[in-house]
Every structure is written in C-alpha cells, then in structure tokens.
Amino acid sequence: MDDKDRQIIRALQRDGRMTNQDLAAAVNLSPSPCLRRVRNLERNAIIQGYSADVDASAYGLSIMVFVRIRLERHNEADVKNFESRVRMIDEVLECHVMTGAMDYQLRVLVPDLEAYEDFIRNRIHPIGGIASIDTSFVYGTVKRTAVFPQSR
C-alpha cells in the first residue's frame, strides 16, 4: 500500500458513495487507474465493505454505553465462550480485548435504560464466567470519525 492508496481510503471513508470520477479527481488520478486501485484494495480485503453512517438516536437507539468486563478465568474455553456469545448480541456494536484491569470493552447501543437492564440481565449475565461489569453511559460526544489519520 502506498500514499495514493491511503489517499483513496481516506476519501472513501469521508464519502463512500462518491463516484469513481469524483474519487479520481480527489486523489489526482485518472479514472481507470483509480478504479484499478480501489478494486485491488477490495480484493485484498483492505477495504472490507461500505456502509451508511446513521444517527443512532433518530433510529431509536439513544443510549450509548461502554461496558468493561473482567472474566473470572482466562482459560481458552472461557475466553472462546465469552467471545463467541458476545459476537451474537445485536446490541454490541464493538468488542475489544483490553490491557489493564478489565479484559474487554464493549460499545453498546440501546433505546432506553430498561433495555440496558434487559441487556445485562438477559444477554450478558447468562454468558457466565464474568467476574465484574463496569458501565459508563455516554452523555455527549466531542468527536467521532471513521476517517483514519494520515500516516507519517
């Protein structure tokens, strides 16, 4: 991957619906080489897909929660069980393995506090093997972007 590929990626992260013609102009390429580069990035799974950026509140999911989880045991079976179960929970948009006191951080979207309680009681607790759960509710967002920083 070279700097031109990175320019293409950043442009598509800003606007994934732009035409190849507009993309080529934005990155100073002619359309044919630009399209070849995009197809190559897709073929090599560097570009893994395209999606719509949707306002979660307007969709009906007005509460974002960061949930940090620590497991009781870190053996292979318990880790695999937790990770496979979390992958199946729709409310979990992201799950990251963490360093430090907690093992995982989840980004969760729910419509209201009752739905969050249901999420914890009926989706997380039944997984088992969880030592602790720490929750932080988001009440504002200062910055949110899907555009990667420029490499140096």
Side-chain angles (χ1 to χ4, degrees):
M1 180 181 316
D2 62 14
D3 286 341
K4 194 58 71 175
D5 289 334
R6 287 182 181 87
Q7 288 176 7
I8 289 169
I9 288 168
R10 286 176 51 82
L12 288 172
Q13 286 177 314
R14 280 191 215 82
D15 180 3
R17 292 184 57 156
M18 68 188 336
T19 67
N20 183 60
Q21 192 79 19
D22 291 339
L23 178 60
V27 300
N28 199 27
L29 281 174
S30 58
S32 291
C34 183
L35 184 58
R36 274 195 300 276
R37 283 176 174 266
V38 170
R39 296 292 182 245
N40 188 47
L41 291 166
E42 292 169 345
R43 202 172 19 261
N44 290 316
I46 295 165
I47 295 177
Q48 298 178 350
Y50 299 88
S51 63
D53 187 7
V54 178
D55 181 304
S57 291
Y59 186 80
L61 299 169
S62 58
I63 297 183
M64 183 186 311
V65 188
F66 287 101
V67 181
R68 287 165 300 284
I69 294 177
R70 185 169 50 85
L71 298 181
E72 289 176 348
R73 294 171 302 281
H74 297 92
N75 61 58
E76 185 177 355
D78 287 346
V79 168
K80 281 185 178 181
N81 177 57
F82 177 81
E83 291 179 1
S84 68
R85 298 278 299 272
V86 164
R87 282 187 193 99
M88 295 186 293
I89 301 173
D90 288 342
E91 293 90 345
V92 177
L93 275 62
E94 299 173 13
C95 176
H96 304 277
V97 180
M98 306 297 290
T99 62
M102 302 305 255
D103 299 316
Y104 296 92
Q105 178 165 297
L106 286 56
R107 186 168 69 96
V108 174
L109 282 180
V110 291
D112 53 39
L113 291 175
E114 291 80 18
Y116 180 70
E117 179 183 6
D118 181 72
F119 165 77
I120 291 297
R121 289 181 183 266
N122 297 309
R123 301 234 198 277
I124 296 299
H125 283 162
I127 292 173
I130 294 174
S132 67
I133 300 171
D134 180 62
T135 298
S136 296
F137 290 91
V138 175
Y139 67 89
T141 300
V142 175
K143 179 181 179 181
R144 184 176 88 67
T145 184
V147 180
F148 293 162
Q150 290 182 345
S151 60
R152 298 177 193 241

